[in-house]
Amino acid sequence: MPERRTVALVTLGCARNEVDSEELAGRLEADGWQLVEDAQEADVAVVNTCGFVEAAKKDSVDALLEANDLKGHGRTQAVVAVGCMAERYGKELADALPEADGVLGFDDYADISDRLGTILGGGVHAPHTPRDRRKLLPISPAERQQAGEQVALPGHAPAAEAPADLPDGLAPASGPRAPLRRRLGSSPVASVKLASGCDRRCSFCAIPSFRGSFISRRPSDVLGETRWLAEQGVKEIMLVSENNTSYGKDLGDIRLLETLLPELAAVDGIERVRVSYLQPAEMRPGLIDVLTSTEKVAPYFDLSFQHSASDVLRAMRRFGDTDRFLGLLDEIRTRAPQAGVRSNFIVGFPGESEADLAELERFLTHARLDAIGVFGYSDEEGTEAAGYRTKVDQDVVAERLAHISRLADELTSQRAEERVGERLEVLVESPGDGEEPAVGRAAHQAPETDGQVLFTDASGLAAGDMVGAKAIGTEGVDLVAETAEILDAAAPADRPGCSEGAAR
């Protein structure tokens, strides 16, 4: 029997890209490829790139070059770019980066095995010429579902009926409409795609042009994939998309998320459901009620404020202002005083004045956010804002970025201190090793983007345990906690002292 071809997936960018990589992994393994973690051990290194901002694009190029350096020093024979940057630039990226042996767009995902086989065999797959993917679907959301079956939607593209002899751990997920999926890690937290694309037209954002218009996954697909993840030991799912508050509008029910969340929370084995990427202008009282009152649904609000000065928001093609945003936060905390809130902000946007910056400071000072991301504005090609004439000098942008970042660090540390004394429900992600503390995340802390909980007493804790704890101190934005009780234990094989648990 010939040796199986090996492939490694290197994922950059957001949680949506992580889901896309697991879809690609599922397709490849179902077609006979062997997945390996180390690119040096792979015949083909597939880099799932990010194309959002300049820094992310630079990281993607660096990752491709790093993978290319492995050729001739290990097993690696080919390096292939996929993901948002590959989709956004296509042939332009291939011409500028000959170190990549292939640049594959979203339309190649269904045939990923054949594409990689061609490249590995020394053949050439012609890179695509990018197009505005918003034009691939009808303007009317109600007409998109049927058309969406003919368009590549990474992370939830339709698939044929799964074969009966699937390798262990490979998911048919939720049936014929769902992608095959292979988990690429063992974390007790996993993301689930709720939708793809975006119908908003923020003047600074190019994402809709290469991710396309908004299209929801069907609730049955989301539920089926969640059930499979629970069978794989996942305790928390995080719902991701470009805009979760729009979920269901193309299915005829803009309030579908309010119905779906309790069903997801009731899946056996799932201990927490978290929703990310919420638009403040689309928040509904009913959605706030469900997020703050449903058992096992985290009262967590990842709100995309971006700024709070009304003039800047209008130039961004967004809505709201400081007082409206503070009113929304008051409404949330009236229902759930311990609710977690995070957001991102852009400073130095074209036309931003000192008064606008002061208004942003006023909002941040009163908002009591748990996590704050701050970015300095830079032009993104193809966006409306790139053509604005009232640009802020880059030195001023850098000064404002440094100033607001310092303020954000101070305010989020203060917010963490406010939580000292709170009772927390913490999902353990790392049990510690005697030298490093056990680490987990409470309901107000999302993976990767927010703070974490450090345990003073790690004895008996395992990854996947849901633990009742008390916050007794802080380290910056992180909370220091002592264990009160184990509310839900990880599988016996994962507990300390068992061979599999020790290996992890």
Side-chain angles (χ1 to χ4, degrees):
M1 179 179 294
E3 186 177 8
R4 293 178 70 188
R5 300 167 296 180
T6 57
V7 59
L9 286 117
V10 179
T11 306
L12 293 91
C14 64
R16 292 161 289 182
N17 254 17
E18 294 172 7
V19 177
D20 295 352
S21 284
E22 294 195 349
E23 176 198 316
L24 292 174
R27 291 182 181 276
L28 287 166
E29 187 164 66
D31 214 19
W33 291 76
Q34 179 181 349
L35 299 169
V36 296
E37 291 186 13
D38 189 348
Q40 194 164 350
E41 303 296 324
D43 296 318
V44 184
V46 176
V47 179
N48 192 349
T49 61
C50 179
F52 182 36
V53 293
E54 284 303 319
K57 287 183 278 189
K58 182 181 183 303
D59 288 344
S60 296
V61 170
D62 289 346
L64 288 163
L65 294 176
E66 183 178 343
N68 181 69
D69 288 342
L70 297 176
K71 291 190 289 188
H73 301 284
R75 180 165 177 162
T76 309
Q77 301 173 50
V79 175
V80 175
V82 299
C84 290
M85 188 177 180
E87 172 63 37
R88 184 177 181 183
Y89 295 104
K91 186 176 185 301
E92 181 182 346
L93 177 63
D95 291 343
L97 197 71
E99 290 85 353
D101 299 285
V103 174
L104 305 181
F106 297 155
D107 293 331
D108 293 308
Y109 281 23
D111 301 308
I112 187 69
S113 178
D114 288 343
R115 300 288 187 266
L116 296 190
T118 295
I119 293 168
L120 188 60
V124 176
H125 176 71
H128 65 284
T129 299
R131 52 183 171 166
D132 188 337
R133 296 190 72 84
R134 289 172 292 191
K135 299 178 179 179
L136 302 181
L137 293 170
I139 294 176
S140 170
E143 299 175 1
R144 289 181 191 161
Q145 284 293 320
Q146 184 173 357
E149 295 180 4
Q150 310 303 319
V151 174
L153 300 171
H156 60 154
E161 290 285 355
D165 57 345
L166 282 175
D168 291 342
L170 184 61
S174 51
R177 284 185 50 83
L180 299 172
R181 179 172 179 176
R182 157 64 82 172
R183 292 210 72 202
L184 295 175
S186 58
S187 169
V189 182
S191 296
V192 174
K193 268 284 185 69
L194 197 59
S196 283
C198 186
D199 288 342
R200 301 186 70 86
R201 294 296 179 262
C202 301
S203 63
F204 56 84
C205 183
I207 289 176
S209 66
F210 56 85
R211 276 290 185 179
S213 297
F214 185 90
I215 186 165
S216 305
R217 292 183 73 191
R218 295 185 181 276
S220 57
D221 291 350
V222 179
L223 276 165
E225 190 166 327
T226 298
R227 293 188 185 104
W228 175 77
L229 287 169
E231 292 170 359
Q232 303 300 306
V234 169
K235 299 293 185 178
E236 175 181 325
I237 62 164
M238 184 167 70
L239 300 178
V240 299
S241 75
E242 280 74 19
N243 177 11
N244 282 332
T245 35
S246 283
Y247 179 69
K249 73 175 187 179
D250 53 321
L251 294 171
D253 186 359
I254 191 60
R255 295 177 176 81
L256 195 55
L257 184 56
E258 288 95 304
T259 304
L260 178 60
L261 284 171
E263 295 183 68
L264 293 170
V267 170
D268 189 30
I270 295 297
E271 295 299 320
R272 180 183 290 155
V273 178
R274 186 184 303 277
V275 185
S276 61
Y277 306 113
L278 301 170
Q279 288 291 340
E282 298 181 32
M283 290 301 297
R284 307 175 290 275
L287 180 55
I288 295 174
D289 285 341
V290 171
L291 287 170
T292 55
S293 64
T294 306
E295 184 179 4
K296 294 188 177 181
V297 173
Y300 176 80
F301 293 80
D302 177 10
L303 293 163
S304 178
F305 289 123
Q306 301 298 344
H307 212 283
S308 72
S310 59
D311 288 346
V312 175
L313 287 167
R314 299 303 176 272
M316 289 179 170
R317 302 291 185 199
R318 299 177 65 83
F319 305 94
D321 55 43
T322 295
D323 293 332
R324 291 183 191 181
F325 291 164
L326 291 176
L328 173 60
L329 295 179
D330 285 344
E331 186 178 355
I332 290 169
R333 288 173 176 140
T334 296
R335 290 171 169 78
Q338 294 184 352
V341 187
R342 83 167 318 276
S343 192
N344 293 325
F345 299 88
I346 299 172
V347 297
F349 191 80
E352 182 191 59
S353 65
E354 291 292 342
D356 294 328
L357 192 70
E359 187 67 2
L360 176 57
E361 288 188 52
R362 181 169 80 89
F363 172 70
L364 292 174
T365 302
H366 289 88
R368 297 169 57 230
L369 303 180
D370 292 280
I372 299 171
V374 188
F375 301 89
Y377 173 82
S378 61
D379 286 338
E380 274 296 305
E381 58 189 284
T383 63
E384 181 182 353
Y388 288 175
R389 296 180 179 180
T390 54
K391 299 290 172 60
V392 177
D393 185 86
Q394 282 301 304
D395 289 340
V396 176
V397 173
E399 291 173 4
R400 293 179 181 179
L401 174 62
H403 172 65
I404 296 298
S405 296
R406 287 193 297 269
L407 177 63
D409 289 344
E410 179 182 346
L411 292 172
T412 51
S413 294
Q414 289 176 6
R415 179 64 179 134
E417 290 170 2
E418 290 179 18
R419 292 191 179 274
V420 172
E422 282 188 9
R423 185 188 183 279
L424 310 170
E425 290 190 0
V426 182
L427 178 63
V428 179
E429 295 186 352
S430 171
D433 58 8
E435 296 182 4
E436 296 294 330
V439 174
R441 297 187 187 274
H444 69 281
Q445 299 167 320
E448 305 298 333
T449 59
D450 302 342
Q452 55 191 7
V453 175
L454 312 174
F455 286 96
T456 59
D457 48 342
S459 177
L461 297 184
D465 282 346
M466 186 66 79
V467 176
K470 180 180 179 181
I472 61 172
T474 66
E475 291 187 9
V477 297
D478 297 334
L479 296 179
V480 178
E482 57 185 12
T483 306
E485 58 181 327
I486 296 179
L487 304 174
D488 183 82
D494 291 336
R495 303 201 65 76
C498 299
S499 58
E500 290 187 18
R504 293 174 63 187

